[in-house]
Amino acid sequence: MSARSHARAARYGVPAALVGLVAALAGCSAPVSVQPAADAANPACAPLMLALPDTIGDAQLRTTTSQATAAWGDPAAVVLRCGVPSPGPTTDRCVSVNGVDWVIRQDSPATPGASSPGAAAGGAAGAGDGGTYTLTTFGREPATELLLDASRASSATVLASLSPAVAKIPATRHCVGQEDLATLPAKG
């Protein structure tokens, strides 16, 4: 706050601390409303949440309304929820980034000229063309879910930024792809 603002506050009887607080809060965003996962209170989520980065690309970490959740960007471009059920065997696409397996589901395709939804986030792996995606960790209990708006954030940046934190929950299984099926022993 400038000396002039302090003088004005003193002249009108407004405590300087209150003026400073109002000035600081004026630049703050409202918390992101995120529905907690069913197992959000699972103690395994705590180390993950403590290890989350303050930024993903240009998007700043924001306050959320629920336990074991996080969001980056204004409006939110990446939303994370820890404590979701781990997916079982699936034919959905699965990618591994820095030792963390992610099952990818496209929620909505890219719409030319449309604005990005606020509670989604940026680019699922191989999905740089826009649209919204849900990525869920595979083989970790509890699982972590990401909502991504591919038009607002790079999937490579998002997954690489979050993998160290997500890896705090140990993997017990891994995705199996077609290339892995070729190496299975034959019945005999």
Side-chain angles (χ1 to χ4, degrees), residues 17-36:
L18 180 60
V19 172
L21 178 63
V22 170
L25 292 177
C28 294
S29 299
V32 179
S33 180
V34 179
Q35 183 70 30

Side-chain angles (χ1 to χ4, degrees), residues 67-89:
Q67 180 175 347
T69 63
W72 291 265
D74 190 5
V78 180
V79 175
L80 175 145
R81 297 187 323 144
C82 182
V84 299
S86 184

Side-chain angles (χ1 to χ4, degrees), residues 14 27 39 41 47 49 58 68 84 89 99 110 127 130 132 148 155 157 163 166 176 184:
V14 179
D39 199 16
M49 299 306 296
D58 294 334
V84 299
T132 57
L148 306 172
S155 62
T157 300
S163 289
V166 171
V176 177
L184 290 177

Side-chain angles (χ1 to χ4, degrees), residues 18 45-46 52 71 96 169:
L18 180 60
C45 289
L52 291 174
S96 183
I169 297 176

Side-chain angles (χ1 to χ4, degrees), residues 31-162:
V32 179
S33 180
V34 179
Q35 183 70 30
D39 199 16
N42 189 313
C45 289
L48 179 157
M49 299 306 296
L50 292 173
L52 291 174
D54 291 332
T55 60
I56 296 178
D58 294 334
Q60 294 292 316
L61 180 63
R62 294 183 52 200
T63 303
T64 58
T65 59
S66 302
Q67 180 175 347
T69 63
W72 291 265
D74 190 5
V78 180
V79 175
L80 175 145
R81 297 187 323 144
C82 182
V84 299
S86 184
T90 180
T91 57
D92 290 339
R93 184 170 177 209
C94 187
V95 298
S96 183
V97 177
N98 297 334
V100 177
D101 291 346
W102 298 93
V103 174
I104 303 170
R105 185 183 77 234
Q106 184 172 14
D107 298 320
S108 67
T111 305
S115 62
S116 306
D129 59 345
T132 57
Y133 294 81
T134 300
L135 285 82
T136 308
T137 56
F138 183 84
R140 295 173 192 269
E141 294 286 342
T144 300
E145 174 185 83
L146 298 179
L147 302 176
L148 306 172
D149 178 346
S151 68
R152 299 196 55 238
S154 159
S155 62
T157 300
V158 170
L159 295 179
S161 297
L162 293 175

